[in-house]
Amino acid sequence: MSSVAKEWREIPGRYNLQGTKCEHCGKIFFPSRSFCPACRRAGIGKMKEVKLDRHGEVYSFSVIHEAPECNNMQKPYAVAMIKNREGVLISGQLVDVDLDKIEIGMPVRAVLRKLDADGAAGVIHYGFKFVPDN
Amino acid sequence: MRDVAIIGIGATKFGELWDKSFRSIGIEAGMKAIEDANLSGDEIDGLFIGNMSAGRFINQQHVDALVADYSGMATNHIPATRVEAGGASGGVAFREAVMAVASGLHETVMVGGAEKMTDLDDASINSVMDATADAEWEAGMGITLASNYAMIARRMIHDKMATREEIASVAVNSHFHGELNPGAQFRKGIPLDTVLKSGPVATPLGVFDCAPITDGAAAVILCPLKDAKKHTDKYVKVAAVAQASDTLALFQRDSITEFKATQAAAKRAYEMAGIKAHDINFAEIHDDYTVAGVMALQDLGFYKKGEAGKAFLNGETHFDSGKIAINTSGGLKARGYPIGAAGVAQIVEVTEQLRNEAGKRQVKGAKYGLAQSVGGNGSAVTVSIMEAI
């Protein structure tokens, strides 16, 4: 379920892995947050937009065989939780990979890909996915 | 705050109820609870309904009004409130109702939980379930609720906190008890191999690691503890109701192999009841995916990290093991998982056990029973404790 408005609104984080860093405690958040859940009031006004390091490694993964409607044509496909070089966890699809050869610790990097489309003539949703980083 | 008692319970059979509608199962459970509490119905002055997604499953919103209407209470003009918290909808509805009575705002309250899921096709049902994760940053990326649990399981196995066999044995335990529960969707025990060799849903989890698609409803009736005897001799005390939250998206947590919301809710519940984890005799836990069962036993404080899986595998969790009995109803896996009803059905099972009415699956001499209800991948959790009087 999506809409043109939602896709526009989400462009910064979805395209560029843009998050926020709390300049009070130094913690990085993805996706962006308006204030730091650790510092709360002390962090208000100190959240700085940052681009996350696109490189990381697989923290955990799964190959999906039962999918919702919007991803039904892709199955089986891999999803992974990635820990980037800054230690931030990010979830996304893992593509261009042999599904039998994915393993925890595998180096990966974020790339821009098509996520979905609203029908034949509808808006295309772009966003990040991860690929092996050899 | 005053003490609260459960004076009536009722539930439909859980399963694929093709011949029944959402409203008919809701009424069936409610009527059973009213009969069980020896009420006429007029005494009920508040109604709370746990329901996750009637809007998408049966295209019906405003189910609070629907249930009030078809249970004959709309013309009494009592307040009816629908509660949604993903898979924890029933557990949260129960807590809201207990607070309503404990505060003195209400005297006799019904908590209902209902979900009609089988009217939709499988891919659409998956979409509804996945909406309890983060719709923009998980589901929108193709991540499913099952795959998040699968990633928890994979990491747990990697960190040697549980083996694949131990995780699978959660389903074996639930089916063992489901066979003994006449109201369960699946009344058949299964061997470990059946779980391990079942078709993949999200690796490493297979079909038998996942709770089924279910229609069903459950209801309980509450009143002040001091008034319980006016209605029935078969009542139990609500010793604690606690609730906690965590980030909606699983990937935003420091650890994915524990649910801190369960830990927080359990801590509050034990404090409220004035007991420790080891005082609990049996528990209904939220095993929507097998790995959730392993985490639950650890997060609730029944076992240390890395030991819960072995307990399931060794059968320590059976009703007659003399240790802590887990999911004597069959749990979500075998009793069935009508989402909004599940948390209320757990309260029904705990009450039956404490009333010594659980038949072949009866836990002997139980004093305290616990129910844990979970929304999403651990983003909302309730822990309730009931005490035999």
Side-chain angles (χ1 to χ4, degrees):
Chain A
M1 299 282 247
S2 195
S3 66
V4 174
K6 178 186 156 192
E7 293 309 308
W8 277 100
R9 194 171 69 243
E10 298 302 338
I11 280 172
R14 286 265 290 273
Y15 285 19
N16 301 320
L17 276 188
Q18 183 177 293
T20 46
K21 182 174 184 175
C22 173
E23 293 186 306
H24 188 258
C25 71
K27 194 162 183 194
I28 300 171
F29 298 95
F30 181 82
S32 297
R33 286 180 181 266
S34 310
F35 63 91
C36 174
C39 302
R40 296 195 179 86
R41 189 181 178 96
I44 291 175
K46 293 175 181 166
M47 299 299 279
K48 184 186 167 192
E49 288 185 352
V50 290
K51 280 188 183 175
L52 270 66
D53 192 309
R54 302 177 77 83
H55 299 266
E57 61 178 45
V58 172
Y59 182 75
S60 195
F61 68 95
S62 175
V63 176
I64 293 178
H65 293 259
E66 295 293 333
E69 294 155 296
C70 57
N71 299 100
N72 232 350
M73 297 292 283
Q74 298 174 13
K75 66 183 187 186
Y77 63 96
V79 294
M81 208 171 275
I82 309 300
K83 188 169 265 186
N84 85 345
R85 285 174 181 170
E86 295 151 317
V88 180
L89 277 177
I90 310 159
S91 280
Q93 286 189 36
L94 182 54
V95 296
D96 298 349
V97 63
D98 184 337
L99 294 179
D100 295 326
K101 292 191 175 157
I102 306 169
E103 53 184 38
I104 289 176
M106 180 180 181
V108 296
R109 67 186 159 89
V111 292
L112 182 71
R113 289 292 169 88
K114 176 182 170 183
L115 291 178
D116 194 10
D118 284 338
V123 64
I124 295 174
H125 313 164
Y126 292 101
F128 60 82
K129 293 184 182 180
F130 292 90
V131 297
D133 192 19
N134 299 314
Chain B
M1 297 280 271
R2 53 186 180 176
D3 285 332
V4 176
I6 297 170
I7 56 169
I9 52 173
T12 64
K13 184 172 175 14
F14 280 14
E16 294 178 355
L17 308 180
W18 299 111
D19 56 333
K20 292 176 180 175
S21 66
F22 179 87
R23 65 187 74 187
S24 65
I25 58 174
I27 301 320
E28 182 184 331
M31 289 302 296
K32 283 180 180 171
I34 284 174
E35 283 177 26
D36 187 49
N38 297 314
L39 300 177
S40 73
D42 280 336
E43 306 90 331
I44 293 172
D45 65 354
L47 186 58
F48 292 84
I49 306 296
N51 171 257
M52 185 182 91
S53 220
R56 290 179 71 178
F57 284 130
I58 59 166
N59 211 21
Q60 175 70 62
Q61 299 284 23
H62 211 180
V63 295
D64 44 348
L66 174 75
V67 175
D69 184 1
Y70 279 80
S71 58
M73 294 181 200
T75 46
N76 284 358
H77 310 300
I78 66 166
T81 308
R82 177 256 185 97
V83 178
E84 192 270 314
S89 296
V92 176
F94 177 69
R95 179 172 176 267
E96 293 292 322
V98 171
M99 286 195 295
V101 176
S103 70
L105 203 60
H106 285 272
E107 292 300 318
T108 311
V109 164
M110 179 184 286
V111 193
E115 207 82 53
K116 188 82 174 69
M117 300 173 72
T118 63
D119 294 7
L120 221 55
D121 64 275
D122 286 353
S124 301
I125 292 168
N126 284 338
S127 297
V128 178
M129 301 288 287
D130 298 339
T132 65
D134 189 317
E136 291 186 0
W137 296 100
E138 292 183 317
M141 303 287 177
I143 292 156
T144 63
L145 199 65
S147 69
N148 263 344
Y149 273 112
M151 287 194 277
I152 291 171
R154 175 102 56 196
R155 191 68 210 187
M156 214 177 241
I157 294 165
H158 179 82
D159 292 343
K160 303 197 185 313
M161 293 168 65
T163 65
R164 175 70 186 98
E165 289 73 21
E166 288 169 2
I167 290 169
S169 66
V170 175
V172 176
N173 176 74
S174 288
H175 276 260
F176 168 77
H177 288 129
E179 187 167 346
L180 306 174
N181 182 1
Q185 182 167 6
F186 299 126
R187 299 205 58 203
K188 193 172 189 299
I190 51 168
L192 190 60
D193 250 16
T194 299
V195 189
L196 295 172
K197 290 179 179 167
S198 63
V201 169
T203 62
L205 303 181
V207 174
F208 272 80
D209 288 281
C210 311
I213 306 304
T214 310
D215 304 325
V220 302
I221 294 172
L222 306 171
C223 79
L225 183 63
K226 64 178 174 57
D227 298 330
K229 268 204 169 142
K230 293 179 194 166
H231 303 291
T232 177
D233 292 330
K234 300 187 300 178
Y235 61 92
V236 304
K237 179 184 170 185
V238 180
V241 281
Q243 184 180 344
S245 54
D246 206 336
T247 63
L248 182 59
L250 181 67
F251 70 86
Q252 292 192 310
R253 305 199 192 139
D254 293 336
S255 169
I256 65 163
T257 52
E258 60 188 347
F259 282 165
K260 288 185 177 166
T262 299
Q263 295 170 5
K267 184 171 183 288
R268 287 169 201 165
Y270 295 141
E271 283 171 5
M272 194 183 289
I275 61 170
K276 304 283 186 195
H278 62 73
D279 293 316
I280 300 292
N281 305 108
F282 67 95
E284 288 287 300
I285 58 157
H286 198 91
D287 61 333
D288 54 345
Y289 297 91
T290 45
V291 67
V294 176
M295 280 195 292
L297 263 53
Q298 295 170 174
D299 292 334
L300 290 166
F302 300 150
Y303 287 90
K304 288 180 186 163
K305 261 194 172 182
E307 293 182 3
K310 292 182 188 68
F312 279 111
L313 193 61
N314 298 339
E316 286 177 30
T317 49
H318 288 183
F319 75 99
D320 55 355
S321 70
K323 308 228 170 163
I324 188 161
I326 300 297
N327 285 357
T328 55
S329 69
L332 278 51
K333 173 68 193 79
R335 185 185 194 179
Y337 185 27
I339 307 172
V344 182
Q346 291 178 326
I347 307 296
V348 169
E349 174 69 11
V350 171
T351 305
E352 273 190 19
Q353 285 284 358
L354 293 176
R355 288 179 5 180
N356 211 25
E357 292 174 349
K360 290 179 180 173
R361 62 189 193 283
Q362 181 65 49
V363 179
K364 286 186 182 151
K367 172 83 170 161
Y368 291 104
L370 178 148
Q372 176 225 23
S373 189
V374 178
N377 293 111
S379 42
V381 178
T382 60
V383 173
S384 305
I385 298 171
M386 270 59 68
E387 180 181 349
I389 296 292

